[in-house]
Amino acid sequence: MCFQSYFSSVIMFQYLFIIISLSGAYSWTDNKQRRFKDDFLFGTASAAYQVEGGWDADGKSESIWDRYVHSRPEITPDGDMACDSYQHISRDVQMLRELGVDFYRFSIAWTRVLPTGFSNKINKKGLQYYNDLIDELIKYNIMPMVTLYHFDLPQSLQDLGGWANPLSINWFEDYARIIYDNFANKVPYFITINQPNSVCIDGYSGSFAPGINSKGIGDYLCVKNVMLAHARAYRLYQNEYKVKYQGSVGIAISVNWVEPINNQTENVKAAEIARDFTIGLYVSPIWSKDGDFPPSVKEAVASRSKEQGFHRSRLPSLTPEEKTLLKGSADFLGMNHYTTVQAQPSVKKYPSPSLEDDMLVDFAQSANWTQGASPWLKSAPFGLYKACVYLNLNYDYPPIIITEHGWSTGLGLRDGSRVENLRGYMTALLFALEDGTNVRGYTAWSLMDNVEWGAGVSERFGLYEVDFDSPKRKRSPRVSAHVYRRIIEQRIIEDTWLPSSLKMDVSMRRMGKDKSEL
Ligand code: NOJ
């Protein structure tokens, strides 16, 4: 993208803005210039399977995603080579320097470091790769933010039951210890687990690795074990590394917003229960007062289980010791936020048993919201504002880091829709900050195009485009990369660029002030 055309689009935006303001279609509260404080952190993210490639290089073993993809010829994601980041540390870090980010969130492939899945055998070459990446980041003052688990369980452990086996809690703790032993001296931020809902609800739906269909049973076993695995890895750091290294450990939870389709009582109730099933199930054990799953979820699953002839709830309960372990087990809430859905009581028939059949809510998305390249992704910036305020009001002002937010497009460097989405969500975030939410940082997903799980490289999330046909997986900055760099530099969203699609008016903001109005 040459700078001349970049600036001519700025002028076009200014022009558009004037027209919109004059026509009165714009419903902002005031002309105040809001800015991100100097200590607000900006970063970008990736995950091992999605970018590294080298799926069996230098002693790495098979993960559940390698197995899932290799055994399904009908899916075409090229995770075997992906962006070949395993061979391109300096180019990857160069992009981060161009963006001017404060931190880079990436994940470690368990199978690269511990090929057996257990801590009996450490693969030095695997550790070396992450060590080199971390050193290169530190050389340029970019903080590493390390995710321990981003969907890629060792297949050897899956063969022993994976996350449905309660021993997975020990396996994960042992793995976490190896990572802390090697990197806690250089890494200020650790994220234990990425999106437990994807690991468990998607992972046991049949259409996401490990591809096991055990809806309503395996998924709930997994939820309990994954949450406890997180808590044990958190406590391990607290007990043995915190004093020495002073790092922070959190978890990344998918917090998409759930809005009622309209204000009718039944829809408001449907939205509430849907939030408990999709957000509360993972946030409550750590941030609620009792360290437990939300009461509404426990009740719904227990009563449906009974109707179905089960002698106990399909959602396993947490013992008092487990609740104590979980409660308060995070220094920050990592929030992955992409979109908003609208809820109403279900009229559809869902497989039984399943989470959907327990929750009994149907979802839609407004036809007025811009559609991304992923079928589930629509742009509704007010949802980020509401999700932040909701976490504040329900969970007592947890420190939040937005650990992912992003937008998918097709091919091409002129990604106007991503720019609009980024600016809209950043503006919503500035409102959330002004209204007292404790958000400490923002992470753009993703640094570069990568393997979008089952969708392969058809959905592009990158600030940088990757040419998957070129041997070196050439990376080129999109317009959004320039825009993001400028936001980081200036710490403001220039008014002239406000997207017309973001209509968050005064009444919308007031709704965030009182829990009963959400
Ligand atoms: C969240 C996941 O953590 C990430 O791996 C994925 O690519 C994005 N969502 C986009 O779907």
Side-chain angles (χ1 to χ4, degrees):
M1 171 74 184
C2 75
F3 271 84
Q4 208 174 0
S5 53
Y6 178 69
F7 284 114
S8 58
S9 43
V10 175
I11 291 166
M12 210 182 75
F13 270 119
Q14 283 176 334
Y15 183 59
L16 256 177
F17 179 69
I18 292 167
I19 296 181
I20 291 164
S21 323
L22 289 178
S23 69
Y26 214 71
S27 51
W28 285 88
T29 50
D30 54 52
N31 293 324
K32 187 172 152 193
Q33 178 68 76
R34 293 169 176 83
R35 54 178 297 125
F36 292 99
K37 290 199 180 132
D38 291 344
D39 60 356
F40 187 88
L41 301 173
F42 289 99
T44 182
S46 70
Y49 179 78
Q50 295 182 272
V51 299
E52 281 178 7
W55 79 277
D56 61 352
D58 296 336
K60 178 183 171 296
S61 69
E62 188 187 28
S63 78
I64 54 173
W65 268 94
D66 298 323
R67 173 70 63 92
Y68 182 77
V69 167
H70 293 157
S71 56
R72 284 171 180 74
E74 71 281 8
I75 345 182
T76 47
D78 185 15
D80 288 4
M81 185 165 169
C83 308
D84 205 17
S85 283
Y86 189 58
Q87 308 287 348
H88 291 289
I89 288 180
S90 75
R91 176 65 182 120
D92 286 356
V93 176
Q94 189 190 332
M95 292 188 284
L96 297 160
R97 291 161 57 203
E98 286 163 9
L99 291 171
V101 290
D102 301 300
F103 66 90
Y104 179 44
R105 175 182 174 216
F106 61 94
S107 81
I108 291 185
W110 190 332
T111 48
R112 214 179 271 297
V113 174
L114 301 179
T116 64
F118 297 103
S119 53
N120 63 319
K121 190 168 168 253
I122 299 175
N123 181 22
K124 290 224 171 74
K125 286 192 175 162
L127 275 181
Q128 192 61 47
Y129 167 67
Y130 297 110
N131 201 50
D132 292 348
L133 173 59
I134 290 169
D135 284 350
E136 183 79 356
L137 291 168
I138 292 173
K139 186 163 144 198
Y140 295 105
N141 271 327
I142 300 167
M143 286 185 282
M145 180 184 279
V146 168
T147 310
L148 299 181
Y149 184 74
H150 201 122
F151 306 165
D152 47 356
L153 195 74
Q155 182 61 43
S156 57
L157 301 184
Q158 187 59 51
D159 294 342
L160 300 174
W163 291 113
N165 183 342
L167 290 174
S168 59
I169 302 164
N170 292 348
W171 306 334
F172 185 69
E173 185 184 22
D174 295 346
Y175 161 59
R177 180 186 294 282
I178 303 292
I179 302 303
Y180 296 154
D181 279 345
N182 283 278
F183 301 126
N185 59 339
K186 301 180 187 176
V187 171
Y189 293 99
F190 286 101
I191 291 169
T192 54
I193 305 274
N194 182 67
Q195 293 197 180
N197 70 313
S198 307
V199 176
C200 298
I201 311 303
D202 298 341
Y204 285 83
S205 72
S207 56
F208 205 73
I212 292 173
N213 192 344
S214 178
K215 277 171 157 293
I217 298 176
D219 45 11
Y220 290 137
L221 298 179
C222 171
V223 168
K224 171 169 174 172
N225 296 331
V226 160
M227 295 309 295
L228 288 170
H230 151 79
R232 283 264 287 277
Y234 176 79
R235 301 288 173 207
L236 173 67
Y237 189 92
Q238 287 295 109
N239 296 336
E240 299 184 30
Y241 303 86
K242 180 82 179 179
V243 171
K244 193 156 177 204
Y245 299 117
Q246 292 300 311
S248 303
V249 180
I251 180 169
I253 296 176
S254 169
V255 187
N256 288 322
W257 181 239
V258 186
E259 183 80 352
I261 198 153
N262 60 36
N263 281 338
Q264 283 173 12
T265 316
E266 77 244 37
N267 299 330
V268 172
K269 281 202 178 130
E272 271 166 23
I273 184 102
R275 281 178 216 136
D276 289 346
F277 267 95
T278 59
I279 305 171
L281 191 56
Y282 317 98
V283 175
S284 286
I286 303 173
W287 282 277
S288 72
K289 294 204 168 52
D290 55 3
D292 203 352
F293 299 126
S296 61
V297 176
K298 289 197 300 182
E299 280 153 29
V301 184
S303 77
R304 198 90 182 100
S305 302
K306 202 168 171 196
E307 282 165 30
Q308 291 161 336
F310 290 92
H311 282 94
R312 60 186 84 221
S313 176
R314 287 175 280 101
L315 176 65
S317 55
L318 294 166
T319 65
E321 295 74 33
E322 288 168 342
K323 289 184 210 169
T324 309
L325 183 75
L326 276 159
K327 189 172 166 328
S329 64
D331 299 320
F332 62 92
L333 194 168
M335 170 178 177
N336 291 0
H337 179 91
Y338 284 86
T339 197
T340 287
V341 289
Q342 299 163 306
Q344 58 190 312
S346 112
V347 288
K348 290 188 196 157
K349 268 253 156 279
Y350 292 104
S352 178
S354 67
L355 177 141
E356 293 84 352
D357 184 59
D358 295 329
M359 175 170 67
L360 293 174
V361 174
D362 291 343
F363 297 114
Q365 284 181 310
S366 166
N368 297 328
W369 302 341
T370 310
Q371 177 75 55
S374 314
W376 50 271
L377 183 56
K378 284 200 168 199
S379 191
F382 73 89
L384 175 61
Y385 173 86
K386 285 197 158 192
C388 291
V389 173
Y390 171 81
L391 292 174
N392 250 7
L393 296 173
N394 281 271
Y395 299 103
D396 207 13
Y397 295 77
I400 296 171
I401 296 176
I402 296 181
T403 37
E404 282 183 37
H405 162 258
W407 183 250
S408 56
T409 61
L411 274 176
L413 300 181
R414 291 170 178 270
D415 55 345
S417 64
R418 179 173 291 102
V419 170
E420 171 143 336
N421 176 269
L422 175 69
R423 298 173 52 74
Y425 276 81
M426 284 279 185
T427 305
L429 178 55
L430 281 169
F431 277 87
L433 287 164
E434 186 169 285
D435 288 353
T437 57
N438 191 0
V439 184
R440 312 260 174 101
Y442 170 90
T443 317
W445 182 273
S446 178
L447 172 60
M448 62 190 136
D449 291 343
N450 55 54
V451 178
E452 177 55 14
W453 307 110
V457 299
S458 61
E459 297 170 18
R460 306 289 183 122
F461 277 88
L463 296 171
Y464 282 70
E465 180 168 88
V466 175
D467 178 357
F468 288 97
D469 294 325
S470 73
K472 289 197 164 169
R473 300 295 197 255
K474 184 167 180 283
R475 289 108 156 100
S476 317
R478 291 204 166 98
V479 175
S480 57
H482 298 286
V483 172
Y484 190 42
R485 186 192 62 191
R486 199 168 153 82
I487 292 174
I488 296 172
E489 252 168 35
Q490 311 247 318
R491 313 194 81 77
I492 56 171
I493 310 295
E494 286 143 301
D495 279 350
T496 45
W497 284 39
L498 287 174
S500 57
S501 63
L502 178 54
K503 294 208 178 87
M504 200 169 62
D505 61 19
V506 189
S507 63
M508 174 75 78
R509 288 190 67 197
R510 267 201 232 109
M511 285 171 79
K513 298 282 188 192
D514 174 354
K515 197 167 174 170
S516 63
E517 290 176 40
L518 269 168

